[in-house]
Amino acid sequence: MEKDTVIFFDTTLRDGEQSPGASMNLKEKLLVANQLTALGVDVIEAGFPISSQGDFEAVKTISQQIKTSSIAGLCRASEKDITTCWNAVKYAKKPRIHIFLATSDLHIEKKLKKTRTQILDMAVKAIKYGKSLCKDVEFSAEDAGRSDMDFLCKVVEAVIDAGATIVNIPDTVGHTTPIEFGKKIAEIRRRVPNISKAIISVHCHNDLGLAVANSLSAIENGARQIECTINGIGERAGNASLEEIAMTLKVRPHYYNVKHSIKTNELYNTSKLVSRLTGILVQVNKAIVGANAFAHESGIHQDGILKARATYEIMSPADVGVPESLLVLGKHSGRHAFFKRIKDLGYKLDEKTLEHLFEKFKILADKKKTVFDDDIIALIEEDTSSGKEIFILNYLSATSGTGTIPTATVKISKNEDNKKTKPVILQGAACGSGPVDATYKAIDQIINMDIKLTDFSLRSVSSGEDALGEVVLKAEYKGMIYSGKGTSTDIIEASAKAYIQAINKAKLFYDNKKGK
Ligand SMILES: [Zn+2]
């Protein structure tokens, strides 16, 4: 018998981007969308077009540029939302409108202040309208995990009659357990008479750490679309992690007996990319893509692995694309070798960007003996994540030591209207509890914005004592969280760059909002 296909619907760019501080700019979203295509994702949910102008533009641009995966946009069950969504996804080769409406009594009564009859009516109307614009329309019964089964079945039947091609059963608040959730999917298949005309999808949240287990249980019970994100990022505790589901299906093919199009050897790259761009680090013991996922520490295990890998290893690092050799380039590497390495790492960049990166590479190679893949990726992503730069770091000097007061002097150029006028050079100096603190205080003096650092982490990008240090931080400005990232062989400089990047994002976002 022909195997069923499980559709992978990735919502890293929509639900994942809703993680606090994870917001990405257009260039970053395009990098992620391209990588998701390389990974073999069937559907990319690119955003929620009506939520902001930026989201609309991102969905539209991704729709125009991505040729293989379907592109979905999210919208509420109203004509205005659906029209806006369509105007963003209509450029895609395979567009999809994704309409959601809550079906649990709690949401219907408390949030929407409506009755079940009104909800049923709204859902049908919305699907019919969506269907008049786009042939691929998905309906999501928000909070399905806590909805009354009789009512849920009735809504599912009605939206399929109205033309929905996919019906999504989300466990919006991560409340159900695996066997219970599987039973719900089986019950929908049993009770909804026209269910064979649509594909059942699930969207599980990880509040109890059960998102992947619930999704797999749904597959066992007939769900054929899985909504998930890279590294499991998303609202609150996040979504089901794509890499864990894909690898479970690969490692246990006879148990699940389904096919899918994920190229698992792209998982590691994708995970790294998303982690870097969102500033959300992957925990070391995370399944599949964590730094320790393939590290064997115990002597007995190491001995077993050396005798036969299968003793303690159910999958190989190569299956998920962990690179075997990390060592690549150095001071004497030429332009050609550098460009080829970038291409091999999966980046398609234009000539100008490549030349610009080569200059940065040469500066780095002078400071560092060996340049690793991770260093190159850091260079590329520092470049693409910077976006429009209002403030640029020109000069930094910080001193600290036992018995001295840490002080910093900073010079920053301010370029308000994108190079139309000459930039203004500003300078500041301050003392602090340490050199980073002093640097941040000096920057604060100059920029004059009430910005508060909420999270700061420093790690080494690659190995060796001359490794690049990477600072990832989050800062709050007027109630919004912005992430910043900086790399350098000097950790004070990396800290300053990361802080200025977050400031640039905040200033840009706030100025755009004011301008509207
Ligand atoms: Zn969600």
Side-chain angles (χ1 to χ4, degrees):
M1 209 180 84
E2 174 77 348
K3 276 189 194 173
D4 276 2
T5 299
V6 167
I7 298 168
F8 273 84
F9 176 113
D10 180 280
T11 183
T12 305
L13 293 171
R14 202 276 301 165
D15 212 320
E17 217 226 356
Q18 278 169 241
S19 319
S23 59
M24 289 177 262
N25 68 29
L26 183 58
K27 269 201 267 179
E28 294 171 323
K29 287 183 182 177
L30 272 169
L31 276 178
V32 172
N34 273 306
Q35 180 56 34
L36 290 173
T37 310
L39 179 64
V41 160
D42 302 284
V43 187
I44 296 173
E45 184 160 62
F48 188 174
I50 207 163
S51 67
S52 73
Q53 189 60 30
D55 241 41
F56 180 89
E57 288 304 327
V59 177
K60 183 177 160 185
T61 313
I62 290 169
S63 297
Q64 286 164 330
Q65 298 197 13
I66 299 292
K67 296 290 171 233
T68 46
S69 316
S70 295
I71 306 297
L74 185 68
C75 50
R76 288 167 296 193
S78 82
E79 241 188 74
K80 191 172 165 222
D81 266 52
I82 298 168
T83 310
T84 308
C85 176
W86 174 242
N87 285 334
V89 297
K90 67 182 174 192
Y91 304 94
K93 215 164 160 202
K94 290 182 272 179
R96 177 184 292 183
I97 293 177
H98 180 191
I99 301 167
F100 75 96
L101 184 63
T103 51
S104 69
D105 289 334
L106 186 65
H107 279 229
I108 294 173
E109 286 159 21
K110 301 280 185 240
K111 187 181 82 175
L112 301 169
K113 307 213 181 310
K114 297 216 179 312
T115 63
R116 285 187 182 181
T117 319
Q118 286 172 309
I119 292 296
L120 192 62
D121 188 50
M122 275 172 79
V124 168
K125 264 201 195 125
I127 295 296
K128 281 189 175 156
Y129 179 61
K131 197 76 181 177
S132 74
L133 304 169
C134 182
K135 71 174 196 273
D136 190 4
V137 178
E138 170 169 344
F139 177 78
S140 270
E142 192 190 1
D143 205 19
R146 292 187 300 175
S147 297
D148 171 74
M149 279 309 279
D150 288 343
F151 182 61
L152 182 61
C153 288
K154 216 166 150 182
V155 173
V156 169
E157 183 182 352
V159 295
I160 294 174
D161 266 343
T165 36
I166 310 266
V167 277
N168 185 35
I169 309 299
D171 184 20
T172 307
V173 291
H175 179 257
T176 59
T177 60
I179 292 176
E180 180 191 23
F181 194 59
K183 279 185 185 157
K184 278 184 199 286
I185 302 302
E187 192 176 338
I188 290 168
R189 282 182 74 200
R190 199 171 55 240
R191 287 182 54 186
V192 176
N194 56 0
I195 197 71
S196 61
K197 289 186 191 151
I199 290 168
I200 300 178
S201 166
V202 293
H203 174 114
C204 298
H205 274 273
N206 206 31
D207 299 72
L208 294 172
L210 295 172
V212 167
N214 284 343
S215 304
L216 289 168
S217 173
I219 292 178
E220 277 186 69
N221 286 282
R224 289 296 176 260
Q225 176 179 281
I226 298 298
E227 301 196 1
C228 46
T229 61
I230 302 301
N231 300 334
I233 62 171
E235 282 273 5
R236 308 181 309 278
N239 286 63
S241 120
L242 183 147
E243 56 279 4
E244 291 175 22
I245 296 171
M247 283 314 288
T248 305
L249 298 182
K250 187 182 168 83
V251 170
R252 302 298 304 277
H254 304 300
Y255 186 78
Y256 289 98
N257 202 31
V258 289
K259 38 178 203 180
H260 63 85
S261 54
I262 297 297
K263 297 181 187 71
T264 60
N265 59 359
E266 289 288 341
L267 287 171
Y268 184 78
N269 273 347
T270 317
S271 163
K272 281 239 157 186
L273 180 73
V274 169
S275 161
R276 285 178 179 284
L277 296 182
T278 56
I280 300 175
L281 301 177
V282 173
Q283 78 200 48
V284 290
N285 61 328
K286 162 92 169 63
I288 317 297
V289 291
N292 291 351
F294 294 96
H296 300 276
E297 182 67 32
S298 131
I300 295 170
H301 288 204
Q302 286 177 352
D303 180 56
I305 287 280
L306 291 173
K307 286 175 178 149
R309 293 203 81 84
T311 50
Y312 289 101
E313 208 167 81
I314 58 164
M315 54 195 160
S316 80
D319 286 338
V320 303
V322 175
E324 272 174 34
S325 104
L326 292 166
L327 192 72
V328 267
L329 301 171
K331 193 171 164 171
H332 303 291
S333 305
R335 195 181 252 97
H336 182 71
F338 179 67
F339 291 174
K340 180 165 183 317
R341 196 64 211 145
I342 289 183
K343 212 174 133 220
D344 291 347
L345 287 169
Y347 292 93
K348 280 187 222 107
L349 302 171
D350 59 63
E351 196 108 332
K352 215 178 112 200
T353 314
L354 283 171
E355 285 298 334
H356 176 64
L357 282 169
F358 185 62
E359 271 165 42
K360 286 171 84 175
F361 163 74
K362 279 198 300 192
I363 296 170
L364 179 66
D366 262 341
K367 290 189 201 164
K368 234 178 146 269
K369 279 195 295 291
T370 35
V371 178
F372 296 92
D373 283 352
D374 280 339
D375 294 325
I376 299 176
I377 294 169
L379 282 185
I380 298 170
E381 278 156 17
E382 191 186 61
D383 209 61
T384 43
S385 65
S386 55
K388 194 175 148 190
E389 291 176 304
I390 297 168
F391 299 107
I392 298 171
L393 182 68
N394 287 146
Y395 172 89
L396 166 66
S397 159
T399 51
S400 66
T402 315
T404 59
I405 299 167
T407 50
T409 312
V410 172
K411 233 189 250 182
I412 284 175
S413 60
K414 185 178 182 191
N415 195 340
E416 200 89 67
D417 46 6
N418 212 10
K419 294 177 185 116
K420 272 182 215 144
T421 51
K422 255 185 113 178
V424 194
I425 308 286
L426 305 159
Q427 58 185 39
C431 312
S433 56
V436 174
D437 184 50
T439 304
Y440 285 7
K441 287 203 170 109
I443 295 172
D444 285 341
Q445 263 182 23
I446 298 173
I447 56 152
N448 201 18
M449 283 160 70
D450 185 21
I451 194 152
K452 260 202 298 296
L453 191 66
T454 57
D455 192 29
F456 178 95
S457 71
L458 166 69
R459 64 171 198 118
S460 129
V461 170
S462 50
S463 34
E465 56 193 19
D466 57 356
L468 274 186
E470 179 179 73
V471 170
V472 177
L473 55 78
K474 295 198 169 78
E476 192 193 319
Y477 181 61
K478 294 194 190 288
M480 291 272 292
I481 304 278
Y482 301 89
S483 64
K485 190 170 48 199
T487 42
S488 170
T489 48
D490 174 345
I491 57 169
I492 313 294
E493 189 186 61
S495 307
K497 280 172 154 179
Y499 194 46
I500 290 171
Q501 191 184 87
I503 291 167
N504 277 328
K505 283 186 186 172
K507 177 113 175 91
L508 214 58
F509 181 84
Y510 196 69
D511 286 355
N512 281 349
K513 218 170 76 178
K514 267 198 307 198
K516 248 189 218 169

